Amino acid sequence: MADNQLLRIENLVLHFRTERGAVKAVDGVNFELNHNEAVVVLGESGCGKTSLAKALLRLLPRNVQAYSGKVFLNGNDVMALNDEEFRRNVRWQQMSLVPQAAMNSLNPVLRVGEQVAEPLMVHAGISKEKAMEQARKMFDLVGVPEEFLERYAFELSGGMRQRSAIAMSLVTTPDLIILDEPTSALDVLTQANIFNVLKRIKKEMETSYILITHDIATSSELANKVAVMYAGQIVEVCDAMRFFHEPLHPYSRKLMASVPRLRGDKEPDFIVGQPPSLLFLPTGCRFKDRCPLRFGKCDEEPPVVNKEGHLVKCWLYV
Ligand SMILES: Nc1ncnc2c1ncn2[C@@H]1O[C@H](COP(=O)(O)OP(=O)(O)OP(=O)(O)O)[C@@H](O)[C@H]1O
Protein backbone atom coordinates (compact mmCIF):
# COMPACT_ATOMS: atom_id res chain seq x y z
CA MET A 1 0.00 0.00 0.00
CA ALA A 2 1.33 3.47 -0.91
CA ASP A 3 2.04 5.57 2.21
CA ASN A 4 -0.45 8.13 1.12
CA GLN A 5 -3.22 5.71 0.17
CA LEU A 6 -6.63 6.50 1.64
CA LEU A 7 -8.94 4.11 -0.18
CA ARG A 8 -8.56 0.88 -2.12
CA ILE A 9 -11.62 -0.82 -3.56
CA GLU A 10 -11.29 -4.42 -4.71
CA ASN A 11 -13.96 -6.18 -6.71
CA LEU A 12 -16.87 -4.30 -5.14
CA VAL A 13 -20.24 -5.77 -6.08
CA LEU A 14 -23.76 -4.49 -5.41
CA HIS A 15 -26.63 -6.24 -7.17
CA PHE A 16 -30.31 -5.54 -6.59
CA ARG A 17 -33.02 -8.21 -6.63
CA THR A 18 -35.96 -7.42 -8.92
CA GLU A 19 -38.81 -9.47 -10.38
CA ARG A 20 -36.96 -9.61 -13.69
CA GLY A 21 -33.64 -10.75 -12.19
CA ALA A 22 -30.55 -9.17 -10.63
CA VAL A 23 -29.69 -5.57 -11.54
CA LYS A 24 -25.87 -5.57 -11.58
CA ALA A 25 -25.45 -1.90 -10.70
CA VAL A 26 -21.92 -2.28 -9.27
CA ASP A 27 -20.24 -5.26 -10.81
CA GLY A 28 -16.62 -5.73 -9.81
CA VAL A 29 -15.34 -2.20 -9.26
CA ASN A 30 -11.66 -1.58 -8.45
CA PHE A 31 -9.88 1.67 -7.82
CA GLU A 32 -7.59 3.52 -5.45
CA LEU A 33 -7.51 7.01 -4.03
CA ASN A 34 -4.85 8.87 -2.06
CA HIS A 35 -5.22 11.38 0.75
CA ASN A 36 -6.07 14.86 -0.49
CA GLU A 37 -7.01 13.57 -3.93
CA ALA A 38 -10.22 14.08 -5.88
CA VAL A 39 -11.48 11.46 -8.28
CA VAL A 40 -14.26 12.38 -10.65
CA VAL A 41 -16.55 9.49 -11.60
CA LEU A 42 -17.99 10.00 -15.06
CA GLY A 43 -20.56 7.94 -16.90
CA GLU A 44 -24.01 7.98 -18.43
CA SER A 45 -27.16 8.00 -16.41
CA GLY A 46 -27.94 4.57 -14.96
CA CYS A 47 -24.39 3.15 -15.18
CA GLY A 48 -24.24 2.65 -11.41
CA LYS A 49 -22.53 5.77 -10.01
CA THR A 50 -24.99 6.41 -7.19
CA SER A 51 -25.06 2.70 -6.40
CA LEU A 52 -21.28 2.79 -6.08
CA ALA A 53 -21.59 5.63 -3.54
CA LYS A 54 -24.23 3.67 -1.63
CA ALA A 55 -22.10 0.54 -1.66
CA LEU A 56 -19.14 2.46 -0.23
CA LEU A 57 -21.23 3.99 2.54
CA ARG A 58 -23.27 0.83 3.09
CA LEU A 59 -26.50 2.72 2.53
CA LEU A 60 -28.31 -0.26 1.12
CA PRO A 61 -31.93 -0.72 0.07
CA ARG A 62 -33.90 -3.78 1.18
CA ASN A 63 -33.64 -5.59 -2.14
CA VAL A 64 -29.91 -6.30 -2.11
CA GLN A 65 -29.09 -9.55 -3.88
CA ALA A 66 -25.30 -9.42 -3.61
CA TYR A 67 -22.97 -7.09 -1.71
CA SER A 68 -19.32 -8.10 -1.56
CA GLY A 69 -15.73 -7.06 -2.15
CA LYS A 70 -13.08 -5.31 -0.12
CA VAL A 71 -12.94 -1.62 0.76
CA PHE A 72 -9.74 -0.60 2.52
CA LEU A 73 -9.97 2.78 4.21
CA ASN A 74 -6.71 3.91 5.80
CA GLY A 75 -5.56 0.30 5.44
CA ASN A 76 -8.55 -1.32 7.22
CA ASP A 77 -11.07 -3.44 5.34
CA VAL A 78 -14.29 -1.70 6.34
CA MET A 79 -16.39 -4.33 4.53
CA ALA A 80 -15.34 -6.75 7.26
CA LEU A 81 -16.97 -4.59 9.97
CA ASN A 82 -20.45 -5.39 11.21
CA ASP A 83 -23.20 -2.80 10.66
CA GLU A 84 -22.89 -1.33 14.14
CA GLU A 85 -19.09 -0.94 13.86
CA PHE A 86 -19.47 0.55 10.40
CA ARG A 87 -22.09 3.04 11.58
CA ARG A 88 -20.03 4.01 14.63
CA ASN A 89 -16.55 4.20 13.14
CA VAL A 90 -16.83 4.71 9.40
CA ARG A 91 -19.91 6.51 8.13
CA TRP A 92 -19.63 10.23 8.95
CA GLN A 93 -16.44 9.70 10.98
CA GLN A 94 -14.20 8.62 8.10
CA MET A 95 -16.35 9.12 5.04
CA SER A 96 -19.49 11.13 4.50
CA LEU A 97 -21.93 11.77 1.71
CA VAL A 98 -23.47 14.76 0.04
CA PRO A 99 -26.39 12.92 -1.55
CA GLN A 100 -28.05 13.70 -4.84
CA ALA A 101 -30.38 16.69 -4.44
CA ALA A 102 -28.90 17.25 -0.96
CA MET A 103 -30.16 20.82 -0.85
CA ASN A 104 -33.73 19.52 -0.92
CA SER A 105 -33.16 16.93 1.76
CA LEU A 106 -32.68 19.32 4.69
CA ASN A 107 -35.32 18.94 7.38
CA PRO A 108 -37.81 21.85 7.00
CA VAL A 109 -38.69 22.05 10.70
CA LEU A 110 -35.14 22.11 12.12
CA ARG A 111 -32.87 25.14 12.07
CA VAL A 112 -30.08 24.65 9.53
CA GLY A 113 -27.32 25.05 12.13
CA GLU A 114 -28.75 22.28 14.29
CA GLN A 115 -28.86 19.95 11.30
CA VAL A 116 -25.30 20.70 10.34
CA ALA A 117 -24.19 20.07 13.93
CA GLU A 118 -26.25 16.90 14.33
CA PRO A 119 -23.75 14.35 12.90
CA LEU A 120 -21.22 15.46 15.51
CA MET A 121 -23.66 15.01 18.37
CA VAL A 122 -24.99 11.68 17.11
CA HIS A 123 -21.82 10.08 15.74
CA ALA A 124 -19.08 11.63 17.82
CA GLY A 125 -21.04 12.16 21.06
CA ILE A 126 -20.06 15.83 21.24
CA SER A 127 -22.09 18.34 23.27
CA LYS A 128 -24.54 20.57 21.43
CA GLU A 129 -22.56 23.68 22.32
CA LYS A 130 -19.30 22.34 20.89
CA ALA A 131 -21.06 20.88 17.86
CA MET A 132 -22.67 24.25 17.10
CA GLU A 133 -19.24 25.88 17.37
CA GLN A 134 -17.86 23.42 14.83
CA ALA A 135 -20.93 23.98 12.61
CA ARG A 136 -20.18 27.72 12.72
CA LYS A 137 -16.60 27.05 11.54
CA MET A 138 -17.88 24.87 8.72
CA PHE A 139 -20.36 27.58 7.67
CA ASP A 140 -17.41 29.97 7.47
CA LEU A 141 -15.46 27.52 5.37
CA VAL A 142 -18.23 26.95 2.85
CA GLY A 143 -19.18 30.63 2.71
CA VAL A 144 -22.56 30.66 4.47
CA PRO A 145 -23.05 33.71 6.74
CA GLU A 146 -23.07 32.67 10.39
CA GLU A 147 -26.50 34.13 11.09
CA PHE A 148 -27.94 31.53 8.69
CA LEU A 149 -27.32 28.91 11.40
CA GLU A 150 -30.56 30.15 12.97
CA ARG A 151 -32.60 29.95 9.79
CA TYR A 152 -34.79 27.24 8.33
CA ALA A 153 -34.01 25.60 4.98
CA PHE A 154 -36.85 27.37 3.17
CA GLU A 155 -35.28 30.72 4.07
CA LEU A 156 -32.09 29.86 2.13
CA SER A 157 -31.41 29.96 -1.61
CA GLY A 158 -30.60 26.71 -3.43
CA GLY A 159 -26.89 27.52 -3.45
CA MET A 160 -26.85 28.30 0.29
CA ARG A 161 -28.75 25.08 1.03
CA GLN A 162 -26.24 23.11 -1.02
CA ARG A 163 -23.36 24.78 0.84
CA SER A 164 -25.08 23.87 4.11
CA ALA A 165 -25.30 20.22 2.97
CA ILE A 166 -21.58 20.32 2.20
CA ALA A 167 -20.91 21.89 5.64
CA MET A 168 -22.87 19.00 7.19
CA SER A 169 -20.72 16.41 5.39
CA LEU A 170 -17.61 18.20 6.65
CA VAL A 171 -18.55 18.77 10.26
CA THR A 172 -17.08 15.47 11.46
CA THR A 173 -13.86 16.18 9.48
CA PRO A 174 -13.91 12.90 7.53
CA ASP A 175 -10.98 11.94 5.28
CA LEU A 176 -13.28 11.26 2.35
CA ILE A 177 -16.43 12.95 1.10
CA ILE A 178 -18.55 11.40 -1.61
CA LEU A 179 -20.48 14.03 -3.52
CA ASP A 180 -23.28 12.82 -5.77
CA GLU A 181 -23.92 15.46 -8.40
CA PRO A 182 -23.37 18.37 -6.01
CA THR A 183 -24.13 21.06 -8.55
CA SER A 184 -27.04 19.71 -10.58
CA ALA A 185 -30.15 21.90 -10.40
CA LEU A 186 -28.05 24.99 -9.64
CA ASP A 187 -27.42 27.92 -11.99
CA VAL A 188 -23.96 28.12 -13.59
CA LEU A 189 -22.65 30.89 -11.33
CA THR A 190 -23.69 29.00 -8.22
CA GLN A 191 -22.18 25.82 -9.70
CA ALA A 192 -18.86 27.61 -10.14
CA ASN A 193 -19.07 28.95 -6.58
CA ILE A 194 -19.68 25.47 -5.19
CA PHE A 195 -16.70 24.08 -7.09
CA ASN A 196 -14.57 26.88 -5.68
CA VAL A 197 -15.76 25.99 -2.18
CA LEU A 198 -14.82 22.35 -2.79
CA LYS A 199 -11.38 23.40 -4.02
CA ARG A 200 -10.81 25.52 -0.93
CA ILE A 201 -11.91 22.75 1.42
CA LYS A 202 -9.58 20.31 -0.31
CA LYS A 203 -6.69 22.69 0.15
CA GLU A 204 -7.45 23.72 3.72
CA MET A 205 -8.65 20.42 5.17
CA GLU A 206 -6.75 18.02 2.89
CA THR A 207 -10.01 16.19 2.24
CA SER A 208 -10.34 13.59 -0.52
CA TYR A 209 -13.37 13.48 -2.77
CA ILE A 210 -15.22 11.02 -4.90
CA LEU A 211 -17.15 13.39 -7.11
CA ILE A 212 -19.98 11.96 -9.16
CA THR A 213 -20.96 14.37 -11.86
CA HIS A 214 -22.15 14.88 -15.41
CA ASP A 215 -20.37 18.21 -15.50
CA ILE A 216 -17.14 17.13 -17.16
CA ALA A 217 -15.91 20.64 -17.93
CA THR A 218 -16.25 22.16 -14.43
CA SER A 219 -15.13 19.04 -12.61
CA SER A 220 -11.86 19.05 -14.55
CA GLU A 221 -10.87 22.04 -12.39
CA LEU A 222 -10.96 19.95 -9.25
CA ALA A 223 -10.06 16.46 -10.41
CA ASN A 224 -6.73 14.77 -9.73
CA LYS A 225 -8.04 11.53 -11.17
CA VAL A 226 -10.83 10.42 -13.45
CA ALA A 227 -12.69 7.11 -13.29
CA VAL A 228 -15.06 6.26 -16.12
CA MET A 229 -17.93 3.95 -15.32
CA TYR A 230 -19.88 1.96 -17.89
CA ALA A 231 -22.60 -0.62 -17.20
CA GLY A 232 -21.60 -1.28 -13.59
CA GLN A 233 -17.84 -1.37 -14.15
CA ILE A 234 -14.94 1.07 -14.17
CA VAL A 235 -13.48 0.97 -17.69
CA GLU A 236 -10.73 3.57 -17.30
CA VAL A 237 -8.90 5.26 -14.40
CA CYS A 238 -6.01 7.67 -14.64
CA ASP A 239 -4.50 10.97 -13.72
CA ALA A 240 -6.91 13.76 -14.75
CA MET A 241 -4.43 15.68 -16.93
CA ARG A 242 -3.65 12.57 -18.91
CA PHE A 243 -7.29 11.64 -19.20
CA PHE A 244 -8.39 15.04 -20.47
CA HIS A 245 -5.54 15.09 -23.01
CA GLU A 246 -5.83 11.54 -24.20
CA PRO A 247 -8.64 9.30 -22.99
CA LEU A 248 -7.95 5.72 -24.07
CA HIS A 249 -11.13 3.70 -23.81
CA PRO A 250 -13.34 4.12 -26.90
CA TYR A 251 -16.24 4.95 -24.57
CA SER A 252 -14.22 7.65 -22.79
CA ARG A 253 -13.18 9.11 -26.13
CA LYS A 254 -16.81 9.32 -27.22
CA LEU A 255 -17.77 10.81 -23.85
CA MET A 256 -15.13 13.53 -24.19
CA ALA A 257 -16.13 14.19 -27.81
CA SER A 258 -19.69 14.83 -26.61
CA VAL A 259 -18.58 17.86 -24.52
CA PRO A 260 -19.32 21.13 -26.40
CA ARG A 261 -16.27 23.36 -26.98
CA LEU A 262 -16.06 27.10 -27.36
CA ARG A 263 -13.16 27.12 -29.82
CA GLY A 264 -12.99 25.26 -33.12
CA ASP A 265 -15.87 24.27 -35.31
CA LYS A 266 -16.15 20.64 -34.22
CA GLU A 267 -19.74 19.68 -33.46
CA PRO A 268 -20.26 17.75 -30.22
CA ASP A 269 -20.43 14.03 -31.02
CA PHE A 270 -22.97 11.63 -29.55
CA ILE A 271 -22.82 7.93 -28.81
CA VAL A 272 -25.09 5.82 -30.97
CA GLY A 273 -27.29 3.29 -29.15
CA GLN A 274 -27.99 2.63 -25.49
CA PRO A 275 -25.92 1.06 -22.72
CA PRO A 276 -26.85 -2.59 -22.13
CA SER A 277 -29.50 -3.41 -19.54
CA LEU A 278 -27.91 -4.16 -16.16
CA LEU A 279 -30.33 -7.10 -16.00
CA PHE A 280 -29.05 -8.77 -19.17
CA LEU A 281 -25.40 -7.95 -19.65
CA PRO A 282 -23.59 -9.17 -22.76
CA THR A 283 -20.54 -11.42 -22.49
CA GLY A 284 -17.20 -9.80 -23.24
CA CYS A 285 -16.87 -6.03 -23.47
CA ARG A 286 -20.04 -4.26 -22.34
CA PHE A 287 -19.47 -1.37 -24.75
CA LYS A 288 -18.85 -3.52 -27.82
CA ASP A 289 -22.27 -2.99 -29.44
CA ARG A 290 -21.70 0.77 -29.56
CA CYS A 291 -17.97 0.72 -30.19
CA PRO A 292 -16.64 1.92 -33.56
CA LEU A 293 -13.39 0.01 -32.97
CA ARG A 294 -14.93 -3.36 -32.13
CA PHE A 295 -13.07 -6.46 -33.29
CA GLY A 296 -13.18 -10.23 -32.74
CA LYS A 297 -11.60 -10.25 -29.26
CA CYS A 298 -14.32 -7.99 -27.84
CA ASP A 299 -16.61 -10.99 -27.33
CA GLU A 300 -14.27 -12.06 -24.54
CA GLU A 301 -14.01 -10.31 -21.16
CA PRO A 302 -11.42 -7.52 -21.63
CA PRO A 303 -8.50 -7.38 -19.19
CA VAL A 304 -7.53 -4.20 -17.36
CA VAL A 305 -4.36 -3.00 -19.07
CA ASN A 306 -1.93 -0.79 -17.17
CA LYS A 307 -0.29 1.69 -19.55
CA GLU A 308 2.20 3.48 -17.28
CA GLY A 309 -0.37 3.96 -14.56
CA HIS A 310 -3.22 4.64 -16.98
CA LEU A 311 -5.68 1.76 -16.46
CA VAL A 312 -7.98 0.81 -19.29
CA LYS A 313 -10.29 -2.18 -19.65
CA CYS A 314 -10.06 -2.74 -23.39
CA TRP A 315 -8.61 -5.29 -25.81
CA LEU A 316 -7.17 -2.52 -28.02
CA TYR A 317 -4.29 -2.01 -25.58
CA VAL A 318 -3.28 -5.62 -24.94
N1 LIG B 1 -32.97 -0.51 -5.17
C1 LIG B 1 -32.89 -0.76 -6.47
N2 LIG B 1 -33.53 -1.83 -7.01
C2 LIG B 1 -33.45 -2.13 -8.31
N3 LIG B 1 -32.72 -1.41 -9.19
C3 LIG B 1 -32.07 -0.33 -8.72
C4 LIG B 1 -32.13 0.05 -7.35
N4 LIG B 1 -31.38 1.18 -7.19
C5 LIG B 1 -30.88 1.48 -8.42
N5 LIG B 1 -31.28 0.58 -9.33
C6 LIG B 1 -30.93 0.53 -10.76
O1 LIG B 1 -29.52 0.40 -10.82
C7 LIG B 1 -29.03 1.07 -11.98
C8 LIG B 1 -27.95 2.05 -11.59
O2 LIG B 1 -28.56 3.14 -10.88
P1 LIG B 1 -27.71 4.34 -10.30
O3 LIG B 1 -28.68 5.27 -9.64
O4 LIG B 1 -26.61 3.79 -9.50
O5 LIG B 1 -27.14 5.00 -11.64
P2 LIG B 1 -26.41 6.40 -11.87
O6 LIG B 1 -25.25 6.13 -12.75
O7 LIG B 1 -26.14 7.05 -10.56
O8 LIG B 1 -27.49 7.24 -12.67
P3 LIG B 1 -27.78 8.84 -12.63
O9 LIG B 1 -26.59 9.50 -13.25
O10 LIG B 1 -29.03 8.97 -13.45
O11 LIG B 1 -27.99 9.21 -11.19
C9 LIG B 1 -30.24 1.73 -12.65
O12 LIG B 1 -30.68 0.86 -13.67
C10 LIG B 1 -31.25 1.79 -11.52
O13 LIG B 1 -32.56 1.74 -12.02
Side-chain angles (χ1 to χ4, degrees), residues 16-18 23 25 43-52 54 61 63 100 180-181 212 214 278:
F16 303 115
R17 187 181 313 108
T18 70
V23 175
E44 265 157 298
S45 202
C47 70
K49 303 181 299 295
T50 299
S51 303
L52 173 61
K54 289 184 176 164
N63 62 329
Q100 221 172 69
D180 194 354
E181 298 189 22
I212 296 169
H214 292 283
L278 295 173

Side-chain angles (χ1 to χ4, degrees), residues 38-284:
V39 60
V40 172
V41 181
L42 302 176
E44 265 157 298
S45 202
C47 70
K49 303 181 299 295
T50 299
S51 303
L52 173 61
K54 289 184 176 164
L56 286 172
L57 282 148
R58 214 185 278 190
L59 295 169
L60 306 176
R62 281 157 168 257
N63 62 329
V64 170
Q65 168 136 341
Y67 177 51
S68 60
K70 290 188 186 303
V71 175
F72 293 94
L73 193 63
N74 286 314
N76 302 314
D77 181 10
V78 296
M79 289 290 279
L81 301 177
N82 66 35
D83 285 349
E84 174 57 21
E85 289 167 335
F86 189 91
R87 195 185 58 75
R88 213 174 27 207
N89 302 324
V90 180
R91 197 184 305 134
W92 289 106
Q93 301 282 18
Q94 295 188 59
M95 56 177 159
S96 64
L97 175 71
V98 178
Q100 221 172 69
M103 65 184 187
N104 298 326
S105 62
L106 294 171
N107 187 334
V109 296
L110 262 188
R111 290 180 204 279
V112 176
E114 283 169 30
Q115 288 183 68
V116 170
E118 193 177 77
L120 265 182
M121 295 187 276
V122 174
H123 298 276
I126 285 178
S127 70
K128 182 167 179 187
E129 201 185 10
K130 285 199 172 136
M132 288 301 284
E133 188 48 46
Q134 174 76 350
R136 188 166 292 116
K137 281 191 199 150
M138 293 305 124
F139 262 38
D140 261 1
L141 193 66
V142 301
V144 180
E146 270 185 31
E147 63 266 26
F148 283 32
L149 284 162
E150 298 299 324
R151 296 198 184 174
Y152 293 96
F154 70 87
E155 296 176 298
L156 269 58
S157 68
M160 285 297 164
R161 274 183 280 143
Q162 189 65 355
R163 284 172 195 241
S164 306
I166 294 173
M168 191 166 164
S169 74
L170 276 170
V171 80
T172 47
T173 57
D175 291 325
L176 175 64
I177 304 182
I178 304 176
L179 300 118
D180 194 354
E181 298 189 22
T183 56
S184 58
L186 293 170
D187 66 85
V188 282
L189 268 181
T190 311
Q191 285 181 4
N193 282 334
I194 297 279
F195 271 104
N196 285 336
V197 165
L198 293 176
K199 262 202 232 171
R200 196 169 65 239
I201 292 165
K202 183 166 175 287
K203 198 165 158 205
E204 289 180 19
M205 295 183 67
E206 305 201 336
T207 313
S208 294
Y209 298 127
I210 295 179
L211 178 63
I212 296 169
T213 182
H214 292 283
D215 189 349
I216 299 177
T218 322
S219 65
S220 65
E221 291 264 317
L222 185 69
N224 301 105
K225 261 184 171 175
V226 175
V228 179
M229 197 162 178
Y230 190 78
Q233 296 181 327
I234 301 279
V235 294
E236 180 162 356
V237 190
C238 82
D239 174 81
M241 287 289 262
R242 273 167 82 183
F243 180 85
F244 290 121
H245 270 120
E246 197 191 4
L248 294 182
H249 197 284
Y251 174 64
S252 314
R253 288 197 217 156
K254 285 278 186 193
L255 202 62
M256 291 308 291
S258 68
V259 180
R261 283 164 209 280
L262 272 182
R263 295 199 188 86
D265 49 13
K266 241 179 127 202
E267 292 276 319
D269 203 355
F270 66 96
I271 312 179
V272 183
Q274 297 290 328
S277 158
L278 295 173
L279 282 163
F280 310 107
L281 288 161
T283 53

